[in-house]
Amino acid sequence: MKIFIDTADIKQIEEALQWGVIDGVTTNPSHVSKTGRPAADVYRDICGAVKGPVSLETIALDAPGIIKEGRALAALGENVVVKVVNTVEGLKAVRALSSEGIKTNVTVTFSPTQALLAAKCGATYVSPFVGRLDMFGHVGMELVRQIRTIYTNYGYKTEIIVAAVRHQTHVLESALCGADVCTMACDIIRQMFEHPLTEIGIQNFLNDWKKVPLK
Ligand code: E4P
């Protein structure tokens, strides 16, 4: 399973890239807003630093506007994936952008039938937001399992990006159910490296090593 980092913070991205486990980046307007920087500068920095797919989100809500923005974003780099909201207008734009060879990520997806439509329109990726569903008493990961079944049943090539990930159990369940990608905050990726038993195990080895005679 691929791991994407979900942020527009170039410092976090650069740090995480050094860990050697990051396959791509997803951003959204909220992440860009938190940087306090112009979007053009943020996008230039991210596209310059990352080789894998970088999702950059369109803001327009009508298909012609999304297509125009999508083309401009795609021109920023070969690895740019145009993020488009899951609406009628959004999916019309996805169909058009896909026919031009522009990669798309259909975002704010909350139902399996929305995901089916995204695949039918040729989306490269679909992003179900599991954590936000959990907040409303649903089981977000159940949506991912349903999308996996639908895509496998019909051979859709659209990749599933599990998004709005809140903890490592989301990551685990994503991998177990065959999601293609999980995108998450820097902190969650960092936590995945950590386990208290690993720390204790290392300390025990180091303590015992001190007792080994030098000669
Ligand atoms: C994914 O592409 C989104 O940027 C992200 O996961 C949004 O989720 P959140 O704002 O609920 O964390």
Side-chain angles (χ1 to χ4, degrees), residues 70-89:
R71 287 176 182 149
L73 290 171
L76 296 177
E78 282 187 359
N79 54 343
V80 168
V81 177
V82 177
K83 221 172 172 188
V84 178
V85 289
N86 201 330
T87 60
V88 172
E89 290 299 300

Side-chain angles (χ1 to χ4, degrees), residues 6 26-28 31 83 129 132 163-164 166 183:
D6 190 34
T26 51
T27 68
N28 64 37
H31 289 326
K83 221 172 172 188
F129 277 30
R132 294 195 194 181
R166 300 288 181 253
T183 190

Side-chain angles (χ1 to χ4, degrees), residues 82 84-86 91 94 104-109 118 123 125-128:
V82 177
V84 178
V85 289
N86 201 330
L91 293 187
V94 166
T104 55
N105 173 358
V106 178
T107 189
V108 284
T109 298
Y125 301 98
V126 69
S127 289

Side-chain angles (χ1 to χ4, degrees), residues 45-63:
D45 288 353
I46 297 174
C47 292
V50 180
K51 288 200 179 69
V54 174
S55 287
L56 306 178
E57 190 158 336
T58 51
I59 305 302
L61 294 177
D62 62 303

